[in-house]
Amino acid sequence: IAYVLKNEGAVALETMEEFMSASQYTVQNCNLYALIALHNGNEDVYNQMKTLLETSGYEISDTVKQYKKGKLEIIDILTDEEGEF
């Protein structure tokens, strides 16, 4: 998140990739990874996370969907007090 806020999106995506390979694929982690991927123009990772969530009985969060539609800004999502993606 800090890398995105510092406008270092590529580093954020690389860091998230490393994090995901070393941690559990929780719903929130998948949504955050999808969000950071979208922020970096990586539709492939977004689609992978979307498919993973759907095959597990979940879906991409409304927040990530709204970001994808251009209705939310990344800064607003990442600095939201609730911290939900």
Side-chain angles (χ1 to χ4, degrees), residues 1-13 15-16 39 78:
I1 293 172
Y3 289 120
V4 172
L5 296 175
K6 291 173 35 177
N7 287 327
E8 296 180 21
V11 177
L13 184 58
T15 302
M16 195 67 202
H39 181 68
L78 296 179

Side-chain angles (χ1 to χ4, degrees), residues 38 46 59-70:
L38 285 175
Y46 167 81
E59 63 180 51
I60 289 288
S61 73
D62 288 338
T63 301
V64 176
K65 288 178 188 175
Q66 293 300 313
Y67 177 78
K68 188 172 191 308
K69 292 178 184 176

Side-chain angles (χ1 to χ4, degrees), residues 4 8 23 25 30 33 45-47 60 68 72 77 85:
V4 172
E8 296 180 21
S23 69
Y25 279 66
C30 289
Y33 194 19
V45 169
Y46 167 81
N47 287 326
I60 289 288
K68 188 172 191 308
L72 291 175
I77 297 168
F85 309 105

Side-chain angles (χ1 to χ4, degrees), residues 35-81:
L35 177 66
I36 291 173
L38 285 175
H39 181 68
N40 285 282
N42 191 326
E43 290 277 335
D44 290 340
V45 169
Y46 167 81
N47 287 326
Q48 289 171 5
M49 292 301 101
K50 183 176 183 280
T51 299
L52 178 65
L53 288 170
E54 289 173 349
T55 57
S56 300
Y58 299 96
E59 63 180 51
I60 289 288
S61 73
D62 288 338
T63 301
V64 176
K65 288 178 188 175
Q66 293 300 313
Y67 177 78
K68 188 172 191 308
K69 292 178 184 176
K71 295 185 177 188
L72 291 175
E73 297 290 325
I74 192 92
I75 189 77
D76 297 327
I77 297 168
L78 296 179
T79 58
D80 178 13
E81 291 179 15

